[in-house]
Amino acid sequence: MARNNSIFLEIVAPTGIIFAGDVDSFSVPSYNGTLTILPHHTPLFTKLTEGEVRVNSENKDTTLVISGGFLEIKNNSAHVLSDYAIRAENIEMAKSEERKRQAEQKLKEKLDVLDFTTVDKDLKMSILELKVAEKVRRRHGA
């Protein structure tokens, strides 16, 4: 259970638990804009869009990328379920750039609607990963 002035946050993807712990606040991307969640938030269930998740805990910031998903909050506990999630420090720039290049190349081909949607999502996620990783690296002077 969360500390007195914190909320428990768990971010889960098919690969496992990406983040779990007591936090002071966190922000997630929703279809209505960014939601910032503080301790003792009212119960909530909402759909999330792809974007950056910012976690603040005891003066330490953690940044993650998610591909969308769902957020559920109840009893001072929050759970994010996503098809894909990665911590910013684990993003491999070279792999993201290669996935971006491959997606751009595939978009030049004639694709059916399903293939186009998949490739378009891959392109958006690789661009998002690169932006977030670069922003975090600049913030930390790396």
Side-chain angles (χ1 to χ4, degrees):
M1 201 63 186
R3 296 183 327 259
N4 205 17
N5 281 336
S6 66
I7 182 170
F8 178 78
L9 172 64
E10 180 179 65
I11 300 174
V12 180
T15 56
I17 297 171
I18 308 303
F19 181 93
D22 293 341
V23 302
D24 298 327
S25 67
F26 66 95
S27 298
V28 292
S30 79
Y31 284 91
N32 295 321
T34 300
L35 298 173
T36 298
I37 308 299
L38 300 172
H40 310 289
H41 195 285
T42 187
L44 172 72
F45 186 84
T46 191
K47 189 172 181 183
L48 303 175
T49 186
E50 69 272 347
E52 181 178 350
V53 175
R54 305 252 345 236
V55 179
N56 303 309
S57 179
E58 297 181 334
N59 301 321
K60 182 179 185 282
D61 291 341
T62 303
T63 304
L64 302 97
V65 172
I66 62 169
S67 65
F70 296 94
L71 167 66
E72 179 184 35
I73 301 172
K74 64 181 178 182
N75 300 326
N76 205 36
S77 183
H79 302 274
V80 173
L81 302 174
S82 182
D83 287 338
Y84 176 81
I86 187 169
R87 289 175 178 254
E89 66 265 18
N90 293 340
I91 295 172
E92 295 181 37
M93 299 287 282
K95 284 185 178 180
S96 294
E97 295 214 14
E98 178 60 20
R99 280 199 340 267
K100 177 181 178 254
R101 188 194 63 72
Q102 289 175 353
E104 289 171 335
Q105 192 65 28
K106 284 182 183 177
L107 285 175
K108 293 178 183 175
E109 301 170 8
K110 189 171 184 176
L111 301 170
D112 62 36
V113 174
L114 182 60
D115 288 338
F116 177 83
T117 302
T118 302
V119 171
D120 186 55
K121 184 168 182 152
D122 289 345
L123 178 60
K124 286 178 182 174
M125 286 306 301
S126 62
I127 291 170
L128 177 62
E129 281 185 9
L130 290 168
K131 282 182 182 178
V132 170
E134 186 60 36
K135 184 165 64 169
V136 168
R137 283 177 175 82
R138 275 196 313 267
R139 193 180 314 137
H140 295 293

